[in-house]
Amino acid sequence: MDSAKDDASSQTRDRPEDGEEDSTDILTAPGSKEIRSQRKHIEVLMRNIDKPIDIASAKVQKSIKAPPEIVLNVRGSSAGAGSSDFHTYRNQRRKENLRVQLMEKEAAEDEARDTFGNELASLKRKDDEKTAKNRAKRQKRKQNRESKN
């Protein structure tokens, strides 16, 4: 009899109460490896609460590497080239194409920035002109009112 009561009480203790969340179900669910990893990471961060956290900054722009001064492989894929010359030529061509693409992209960004700046200046100038015109109208009305009184 007592063993039946113990089994029943252990079953009720094992189940979560209403409103409680069973954390063991979360840790055994699919994708629980990521949850455990995140939990471990958070626990490490919470242990060292005074330690500053490094947050990644904005992307670093790629810089354009200058083309080589001396091109060692002048033959490319032409006749008489060695077995590794084509791979060297292809690598040089790929690097040069990437460099040219990056230069073109920067030029397009500069042009877009300049266009935007010009449009912004034009709109500001128009707004200033309209404001000045309205100001002149207000001043004229004010003078007319003062002269009548």
Side-chain angles (χ1 to χ4, degrees):
M1 278 286 223
D2 291 332
S3 65
K5 283 184 179 180
D6 289 339
D7 289 340
S9 64
S10 68
Q11 288 176 355
T12 56
R13 271 187 268 130
D14 291 343
R15 283 184 274 154
E17 300 272 334
D18 288 338
E20 284 185 20
E21 191 175 311
D22 189 12
S23 61
T24 57
D25 288 343
I26 292 173
L27 297 178
T28 58
S32 62
K33 184 176 182 182
E34 292 84 11
I35 294 171
R36 283 193 300 262
S37 170
Q38 287 177 353
R39 181 175 285 174
K40 185 177 178 182
H41 185 69
I42 290 172
E43 287 172 358
V44 168
L45 290 175
M46 294 305 285
R47 269 188 251 137
N48 301 327
I49 237 169
D50 296 334
K51 183 178 177 183
I53 298 174
D54 293 330
I55 298 175
S57 61
K59 287 184 178 179
V60 177
Q61 276 191 332
K62 293 181 181 178
S63 61
I64 299 175
K65 192 174 181 180
E69 293 293 326
I70 300 171
V71 178
L72 299 175
N73 179 21
V74 293
R75 293 179 293 207
S77 61
S78 62
S83 61
S84 67
D85 285 344
F86 175 71
H87 302 294
T88 306
Y89 160 75
R90 188 175 59 182
N91 254 345
Q92 287 176 347
R93 188 185 69 190
R94 181 183 57 81
K95 286 179 184 177
E96 180 64 16
N97 286 339
L98 287 174
R99 190 180 73 82
V100 169
Q101 284 177 356
L102 193 57
M103 286 186 338
E104 288 173 352
K105 183 180 175 184
E106 283 182 359
E109 287 174 355
D110 287 343
E111 184 179 336
R113 197 175 304 115
D114 290 342
T115 304
F116 177 74
N118 291 340
E119 288 177 8
L120 191 64
S122 172
L123 290 174
K124 186 173 177 7
R125 191 176 359 94
K126 285 180 183 177
D127 284 346
D128 290 343
E129 289 171 1
K130 187 174 181 180
T131 304
K133 183 179 176 183
N134 289 340
R135 185 182 308 118
K137 280 183 177 180
R138 280 194 311 273
Q139 293 294 330
K140 188 175 181 181
R141 275 185 275 160
K142 187 177 179 181
Q143 286 177 355
N144 286 340
R145 263 186 278 154
E146 288 175 359
S147 65
K148 284 183 181 180
N149 290 337

